[in-house]
Amino acid sequence: MRILGGRLRKIPLEKIRNIGIIAHIDAGKTTTSERVLFYTGKNYKLGEVHDGAATMDWMVQEQERGITITAAATTCIWKDISINLIDTPGHVDFTIEVERSLKVLDGAVVVFCGVGGVEPQSETVWRQADRYNVPRIAFVNKMDRTGSDFLAVVAQIHERLGANVAAIQLPVGHESGFSGVLDLVEEKLIHYEDDLGKEFQVKEIPEDMAAEFKKYRLILVEKVAEADDAVMEDYLAGRTVANEKLKAAIRRGCIANKFVPVLCGSAFKNKGVQMVLDAVKDYLPSPLDVPGVKGTNPDTGEFQEVIADDAAPFTALCFKVATDPFVGKIYFTRMYSGTLVSGTYIYNATKRERERVTKIVKMHANHQEVTESIATGDIAALVGLKDTKTGDTLCMEKNPILIEAMRFPDPVIQQAIEPKSKDAQEKLGMAMHKLEDEDPSFRVTYNQETGQTLIAGMGQLHLEIIVDRILREFNVEATVGAPQVAYRETIRKSVSSVGKFISQSGGRGQYGHCVIEMSPQEVPGTGITFEDKIRSGSIPREFIPAVKQGIMGAAKNGVLAGYPVTDVKVVLVDGSFHEVDSSELAFKMAGSIAFQDGMKKAHPVLLEPIMDIEVVVPEEFMGQIIGDLSSRRAKIIALGQRLNLRTIRAHVPLSEVFNYATITRSLTQGRASYTMEPSFYSEVPAHVAEKVVSGSVNANARKTF
């Protein structure tokens, strides 16, 4: 044991697992999390999502709707390992919670529905895990449901997600007769004896299952051999691969992201979750097994790598900010190296500010356990910080490092909000500021032309939850407008533009002059970029940031309908100055004038968010759904089959599918379901753009909460 900041590190670093549970909505993530807490002894009774009693779904809004909205963290012990567990939302409106959780996790359990298989949001969370190189295991849940097909889901994971996967278990029994699992690695049969899943027997494989076992054990060895040379040698030589050797190879392949083991079970019926915990222990990495997090020195720009070691300088990342009614803001933090003791002064390398940690707490959903210190690999919450935001790097001032920032998606929907009384104005402002700190995908802006405050988010449910929290948590009565599409503006041709600001009103004047070249970005989604190509000194260096500031300010409001401008490359090429009258303000105004003038000449167009939608519908209603989607400017991209249902995948403008749940219910007698997520921005057709510009699309219908 090692003494750290006045406490003993009871659990060695190699025994720590930082994992998340990620999945499509309604695959059973939170139910799986509740079983994990029960079997590890963290909870003494099972919490059910449908009863509003799930520990990890602690928010009122989560309990009422039966969905996860915010990622909840907890720590539990399984056998000799400590698991820091984060349960994430499945709904695409809250994808930011998955994004920032995966940034700080070492491994993930991806849950799939045994009936639905790989669904659109399964692909989304899988791509997010790919982006952060997170090793993962797959758990096919709901094996007791009618229509479940384990091997079909394994095949879908391989085909649709491009993963090298193989089953390490097989289900015993079918649908309602599901009673246990066949372990292909340990060569055992696990049979459950009771409804709670605590009592199970480990048996030898029966003779009637021997052929099936042999077939799928061979497939497992083949798949592992593709990712591991040691197993490949045995396989090619025709030698039997020992169980321990196979298990070690699965772990190596999993950590290297070359292999994904697939397990099965039914979390709701309490079967298979202990085996998932064993797989987390056996196959997912500890902080020592993953590459060191990369960063740069903020002073020198030199590349640095953080090594997981208690003796190394303290380095951590704040990945989430939450507001607690009793202690104020708490900052969820992942420790990458070193140790931290409460009362310590630390350094925010992103903001270049000193901060003091007054208290450290270990989180169990919304409950807190005070601890004196934390060390490498821990996930905990800090109290007492002032200026820290989501994505900020925390370190020591004498060893500064800047970890690569997180990527936050742009909102696609917005609505106006205003307080019902003047007394509520200040409270509303404070509430929105706190919510903005908590959720980087929620934005608040003020429209100068209309005098409206606009809130923007990832979907209708996202904004509905925000407004509900403003009403309940912050006790602010507000009036909100109807949801509106968050359009964007961009340009279609390259132009040169001049901005000149001259003002003479007695005394010292103002003089700023710049010449810029504007062109469309080659890669959509790049945003606004600024490049300085002044070489002759025609504009002094100290005024160039002011020109950039003016351009970025002007880009917040386009020339067509006042929407933010995106995907424009701006190059500053020339200008002039006056030795007395030039100032930062003058060049800021010149930059703004040049950008606005250039926008008018560069063939500006309106962009709208396009959604990736998948509708699951009975065969007899397929024609009605396709016809309705076609009338909504949708482009059908794929038709498929899921058991006795048909699937329709399409790209459709967000403006055409507000309240789509009501539409699908009326067209299919309530028998269709759909999932939808933002995909990309596309140019608005001319006849629709005219309506948007004239304001007829975004009419300010109002709804009072």
Side-chain angles (χ1 to χ4, degrees):
M1 291 189 190
R2 198 176 192 172
I3 296 179
L4 300 171
R7 73 178 178 112
L8 290 172
R9 182 194 260 290
K10 295 179 180 176
I11 297 172
L13 204 48
E14 62 271 15
K15 300 288 187 183
I16 290 177
R17 301 288 184 273
N18 290 315
I19 67 161
I21 296 186
I22 61 175
H24 177 89
I25 190 169
D26 207 29
K29 295 177 302 302
T30 300
T31 303
T32 303
S33 298
E34 294 300 315
R35 273 35 181 194
V36 167
L37 297 181
F38 178 71
Y39 294 127
T40 57
K42 193 77 180 180
N43 282 355
Y44 298 104
K45 66 175 184 177
L46 293 169
E48 301 294 2
V49 175
H50 58 270
D51 293 335
T55 303
M56 302 300 268
D57 284 352
W58 58 270
M59 288 175 65
V60 175
Q61 291 83 0
E62 292 177 317
Q63 292 166 355
E64 288 177 349
R65 289 168 171 82
I67 61 170
T68 302
I69 293 169
T70 183
T74 190
T75 302
C76 52
I77 304 295
W78 176 250
K79 297 183 178 175
D80 62 341
I81 64 165
S82 174
I83 301 173
N84 293 316
L85 174 72
I86 296 182
D87 175 34
T88 65
H91 200 288
V92 70
D93 282 18
F94 310 105
T95 188
I96 182 65
E97 295 288 339
V98 183
E99 190 84 20
R100 59 185 172 187
S101 298
L102 286 171
K103 171 75 175 175
V104 299
L105 292 172
D106 299 326
V109 178
V110 189
V111 182
F112 296 91
C113 173
V115 181
V118 176
E119 303 188 65
Q121 283 160 242
S122 308
E123 295 179 39
T124 301
V125 297
W126 195 272
R127 287 196 304 269
Q128 287 174 304
D130 281 341
R131 189 158 55 244
Y132 292 110
N133 293 315
V134 177
R136 65 213 84 152
I137 60 176
F139 174 55
V140 180
N141 192 23
K142 303 189 179 183
M143 291 309 303
D144 60 310
R145 291 270 293 272
T146 302
S148 61
D149 189 336
F150 176 67
L151 294 174
V153 178
V154 175
Q156 283 180 25
I157 297 171
H158 172 65
E159 291 160 11
R160 294 179 61 174
L161 303 178
N164 179 27
V165 298
I168 61 169
Q169 295 176 347
L170 292 177
V172 176
H174 187 56
E175 297 178 347
S176 60
F178 174 67
S179 61
V181 296
L182 201 62
D183 190 326
L184 299 178
V185 179
E186 299 287 358
E187 303 186 49
K188 298 290 182 185
L189 170 68
I190 293 106
H191 183 267
Y192 286 90
E193 303 287 319
D194 68 334
D195 289 339
L196 277 179
K198 274 197 163 184
E199 300 296 326
F200 58 87
Q201 285 188 351
V202 179
K203 304 177 179 179
E204 295 300 317
I205 296 169
E207 283 186 21
D208 61 340
M209 295 182 187
E212 189 179 27
F213 166 80
K214 191 174 181 181
K215 175 184 174 182
Y216 288 101
R217 165 87 175 196
L218 183 60
I219 292 172
L220 171 61
V221 172
E222 286 176 357
K223 290 288 187 178
V224 173
E226 290 178 24
D228 192 88
D229 292 341
V231 173
M232 178 64 83
E233 284 180 22
D234 285 349
Y235 176 71
L236 292 175
R239 293 190 293 267
T240 301
V241 180
N243 294 353
E244 285 306 311
K245 189 170 187 177
L246 181 61
K247 186 184 282 190
I250 292 172
R251 177 176 175 79
R252 288 193 296 271
C254 193
I255 291 172
N257 261 318
K258 293 179 178 178
F259 179 73
V260 179
V262 189
L263 300 90
C264 61
S266 170
F268 183 60
K269 291 295 176 69
N270 313 302
K271 294 178 174 70
V273 177
Q274 295 102 320
M275 281 77 241
V276 172
L277 286 165
D278 284 339
V280 167
K281 173 181 182 292
D282 293 336
Y283 305 130
L284 289 181
S286 75
L288 293 173
D289 296 316
V290 293
V293 67
K294 295 172 176 58
T296 55
N297 186 307
D299 298 324
T300 65
E302 290 178 6
F303 171 81
Q304 288 180 268
E305 188 173 14
V306 179
I307 305 301
D309 186 354
D310 293 334
F314 159 69
T315 306
L317 182 75
C318 172
F319 66 94
K320 180 175 177 176
V321 179
T323 303
D324 184 276
F326 304 107
V327 299
K329 285 184 181 176
I330 55 176
Y331 301 82
F332 287 79
T333 304
R334 161 70 197 262
M335 293 282 291
Y336 285 110
S337 67
T339 61
L340 182 66
V341 181
S342 60
T344 304
Y345 278 95
I346 59 175
Y347 184 63
N348 182 326
T350 310
K351 300 286 191 304
R352 295 185 177 245
E353 298 279 351
R354 288 184 82 205
E355 297 268 37
R356 184 171 182 267
V357 179
T358 57
K359 188 164 72 169
I360 302 172
V361 293
K362 289 272 193 176
M363 298 300 296
H364 177 49
N366 61 330
H367 300 293
Q368 301 169 8
E369 177 192 332
V370 178
T371 182
E372 278 301 305
S373 60
I374 49 176
T376 306
D378 285 343
I379 292 177
L382 309 182
V383 180
L385 311 186
K386 302 294 183 192
D387 300 315
T388 298
K389 305 281 188 198
T390 299
D392 286 0
T393 304
L394 303 174
C395 53
M396 302 310 289
E397 197 164 1
K398 61 184 179 182
N399 299 104
I401 185 172
L402 208 52
I403 296 170
E404 184 184 1
M406 282 182 265
R407 171 183 165 274
F408 301 127
D410 286 328
V412 296
I413 190 170
Q414 63 186 24
Q415 58 190 142
I417 186 168
E418 60 183 41
K420 277 190 173 180
S421 64
K422 281 195 172 183
D423 294 341
Q425 180 79 48
E426 190 176 341
K427 286 172 71 178
L428 177 63
M430 288 175 60
M432 291 192 297
H433 179 68
K434 285 181 179 177
L435 291 170
E436 224 178 354
D437 282 349
E438 286 186 22
D439 184 354
S441 64
F442 169 64
R443 314 272 171 85
V444 180
T445 56
Y446 181 74
N447 189 314
Q448 297 281 0
E449 293 180 10
T450 62
Q452 289 180 311
T453 299
L454 300 174
I455 56 174
M458 298 307 297
Q460 285 178 274
L461 179 61
H462 187 197
L463 291 186
E464 189 182 313
I465 297 294
I466 291 286
V467 171
D468 192 44
R469 291 187 63 192
I470 287 172
L471 172 69
R472 294 199 201 185
E473 284 181 38
F474 301 98
N475 200 25
V476 180
E477 291 192 350
T479 302
V480 298
Q484 302 173 0
V485 176
Y487 291 98
R488 296 284 185 269
E489 295 182 25
T490 192
I491 60 175
R492 285 291 179 251
K493 71 175 186 178
S494 300
V495 296
S496 179
S497 179
V498 178
K500 190 174 278 191
F501 180 73
I502 303 173
S503 174
Q504 198 72 45
S505 56
R508 182 181 169 182
Q510 296 283 357
Y511 181 90
H513 168 226
C514 66
V515 181
I516 62 173
E517 291 176 353
M518 298 169 59
S519 58
Q521 295 279 18
E522 292 180 9
V523 181
T526 311
I528 306 289
T529 58
F530 175 84
E531 188 178 346
D532 166 29
K533 282 194 176 177
I534 297 287
R535 294 291 177 266
S536 60
S538 53
I539 298 177
R541 308 307 307 167
E542 64 265 26
F543 294 138
I544 289 172
V547 176
K548 180 181 179 181
Q549 194 178 355
I551 289 167
M552 294 301 182
K556 291 179 181 177
N557 300 101
V559 296
L560 288 176
Y563 290 105
V565 180
T566 188
D567 294 344
V568 176
K569 181 180 180 181
V570 182
V571 181
L572 178 62
V573 293
D574 202 3
S576 63
F577 72 102
H578 188 281
E579 289 187 0
V580 177
D581 291 349
S582 286
S583 66
E584 287 188 4
L585 174 62
F587 275 100
K588 181 180 176 183
M589 292 299 295
S592 177
I593 293 165
F595 187 83
Q596 289 174 331
D597 182 56
M599 280 291 296
K600 291 171 186 173
K601 298 187 295 183
H603 189 189
V605 293
L606 210 58
L607 301 176
E608 64 181 342
I610 304 297
M611 311 300 284
D612 187 339
I613 188 170
E614 184 183 73
V615 185
V616 182
V617 60
E619 178 87 46
E620 62 264 35
F621 299 110
M622 190 174 175
Q624 290 96 309
I625 291 293
I626 290 177
D628 180 71
L629 283 171
S630 298
S631 72
R632 297 174 187 279
R633 299 193 282 127
K635 180 182 178 183
I636 309 296
I637 56 175
L639 300 175
Q641 186 92 26
R642 189 173 295 163
L643 300 174
N644 59 339
L645 299 173
R646 297 302 299 271
T647 62
I648 304 162
R649 190 87 176 264
H651 287 150
V652 59
L654 173 61
S655 60
E656 301 285 351
V657 284
F658 280 135
N659 300 315
Y660 194 62
T662 306
I663 295 155
T664 53
R665 278 199 296 267
S666 64
L667 287 174
T668 65
Q669 300 172 11
R671 293 174 64 192
S673 63
Y674 75 95
T675 54
M676 184 166 61
E677 62 183 41
S679 185
F680 58 92
Y681 271 83
S682 179
E683 187 174 335
V684 179
H687 69 281
V688 179
E690 286 175 17
K691 292 180 183 178
V692 176
V693 172
S694 64
S696 61
V697 170
N698 285 340
N700 285 321
R702 299 213 163 182
K703 181 180 177 185
T704 304
F705 285 79

